C-alpha cells in the first residue's frame, strides 16, 4: 500500500474533504498540520508554494481538487461508471459555486460589506444551491446523490454544510438534511468527527 502524508494548516479548510475521504476508506495517513510560523519555513519545499499537499511514497502533489479527485478514485468513492463519475463531478461543481460565495465573505475585510454578503448568501445563493442538491437527491431516490451508497458527492456536501452554512437554511431542504445526517452517522466518518482536532475553521 502507498504511504500517504496530507499537509495543511491547523484547520479544516480545503484539506478536510481529504481527511473525510481517508476516514471513509479506513486508510491510514500522516496528518501534518502547519502553524503560520512553521508554514513559512516549509512553503518553498512544496510544489506550488501552497497547501494542501498530498505526499505519496515521498512524491508531493498539489491542488486541492486534483488531490480530492485522486483520493476518491483510489478509494472507490468517485462513482462506479463514467456516468456516475459525471454525476459526482456535477455535485462537485455546485460545491465549488458555493465556495465562491464563502470565500468572497472570508476575504472581505470591510465589516459592513461582510454583513451584506452574508445576508445575500443566506437569502439568495445558499438556498438556490441547496435547492439543486435537493432536486438531485429526489431524482436519485432520496438517499444519496449518486448511486446507492456514500460517494465523494455526499462527503463533499457534508463538508460544505459543516459549520459553513446556517442550519436554519438546511432545515428547508429535508432530503439534504437527511443525507447530511446519514453521512455524519456513518461509523468511520463518526469516528473521525469524534477524534479530529477542534479548530475554529
Amino acid at each position: 500500500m502507498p504511504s500517504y502524508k496530507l499537509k495543511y494548516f491547523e484547520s479544516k479548510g480545503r484539506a478536510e474533504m481529504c481527511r473525510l475521504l481517508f476516514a471513509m476508506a479506513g486508510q491510514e495517513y500522516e496528518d501534518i498540520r502547519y502553524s503560520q510560523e512553521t508554514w513559512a519555513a516549509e512553503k518553498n519545499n512544496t510544489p506550488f508554494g501552497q497547501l494542501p499537499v498530498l505526499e505519496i511514497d515521498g512524491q508531493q502533489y498539489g491542488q486541492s481538487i486534483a488531490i480530492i479527485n485522486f483520493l476518491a478514485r483510489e478509494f472507490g468513492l468517485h462513482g462506479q461508471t463514467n456516468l456516475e463519475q459525471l454525476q459526482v463531478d456535477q455535485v462537485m461543481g455546485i460545491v465549488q459555486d458555493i465556495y465562491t460565495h464563502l470565500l468572497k465573505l472570508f476575504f472581505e475585510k470591510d465589516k459592513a460589506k461582510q454583513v451584506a454578503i452574508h445576508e445575500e448568501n443566506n437569502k439568495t445563493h445558499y438556498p438556490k444551491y441547496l435547492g439543486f442538491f435537493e432536486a438531485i437527491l429526489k431524482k436519485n431516490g432520496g438517499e444519496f446523490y449518486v448511486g446507492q451508497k456514500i460517494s465523494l458527492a455526499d462527503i463533499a456536501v457534508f463538508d460544505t454544510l459543516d459549520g459553513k452554512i446556517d442550519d436554519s437554511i438546511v432545515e428547508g431542504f429535508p432530503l439534504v438534511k437527511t443525507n447530511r445526517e446519514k453521512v455524519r452517522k456513518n461509523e468511520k466518518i463518526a469516528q473521525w468527527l469524534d477524534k479530529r482536532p477542534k479548530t475554529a475553521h
Side-chain angles (χ1 to χ4, degrees):
M1 291 293 293
S3 171
Y4 295 107
K5 295 180 181 180
L6 181 65
K7 302 178 180 182
Y8 196 63
F9 300 109
E10 296 173 326
S11 65
K12 300 181 187 76
R14 290 191 172 272
E16 193 63 16
M17 215 178 290
C18 302
R19 297 176 185 131
L20 288 165
L21 288 168
F22 276 121
M24 186 68 195
Q27 173 63 52
E28 292 186 3
Y29 70 105
E30 189 173 350
D31 187 11
I32 300 172
R33 301 182 181 225
Y34 297 105
S35 66
Q36 291 301 322
E37 292 75 20
T38 55
W39 165 239
E42 180 67 19
K43 184 173 182 178
N44 290 335
N45 296 325
T46 61
F48 311 119
Q50 61 186 20
L51 297 174
V53 165
L54 178 65
E55 185 176 308
I56 308 172
D57 294 334
Q59 180 67 44
Q60 295 192 101
Y61 303 90
Q63 295 296 329
S64 58
I65 298 301
I67 294 169
I68 289 165
N69 286 339
F70 169 80
L71 292 176
R73 288 192 297 268
E74 284 292 288
F75 302 153
L77 296 169
H78 200 272
Q80 303 304 305
T81 66
N82 286 342
L83 185 58
E84 284 194 355
Q85 289 169 12
L86 173 61
Q87 293 171 322
V88 170
D89 290 341
Q90 174 180 251
V91 171
M92 293 298 290
I94 300 170
V95 166
Q96 291 308 305
D97 288 341
I98 292 174
Y99 265 92
T100 299
H101 299 288
L102 286 168
L103 291 174
K104 183 178 179 181
L105 177 62
F106 181 79
F107 286 113
E108 180 56 62
K109 302 303 180 186
D110 184 276
K111 295 297 183 182
K113 290 181 180 179
Q114 285 179 357
V115 171
I117 292 170
H118 182 67
E119 289 179 351
E120 183 180 16
N121 284 349
N122 287 347
K123 182 179 180 181
T124 304
H125 300 305
Y126 299 156
K128 178 178 74 172
Y129 296 125
L130 266 61
F132 293 160
F133 290 148
E134 188 83 359
I136 292 170
L137 285 167
K138 184 176 181 180
K139 185 177 180 180
N140 194 48
E143 285 196 81
F144 303 102
Y145 289 97
V146 179
Q148 299 305 314
K149 62 180 182 178
I150 292 176
S151 70
L152 169 59
D154 306 279
I155 290 171
V157 175
F158 172 82
D159 181 55
T160 304
L161 299 178
D162 185 27
K164 303 179 185 73
I165 295 178
D166 294 343
D167 283 346
S168 61
I169 300 173
V170 181
E171 285 292 331
F173 302 92
L175 296 180
V176 173
K177 180 182 177 182
T178 299
N179 173 268
R180 180 181 66 174
E181 292 308 306
K182 190 177 292 289
V183 174
R184 190 193 306 278
K185 291 178 181 178
N186 175 273
E187 182 179 2
K188 293 177 180 178
I189 295 293
Q191 288 175 355
W192 167 247
L193 296 178
D194 185 57
K195 72 177 185 180
R196 70 182 177 184
K198 306 300 181 185
T199 58
H201 304 289

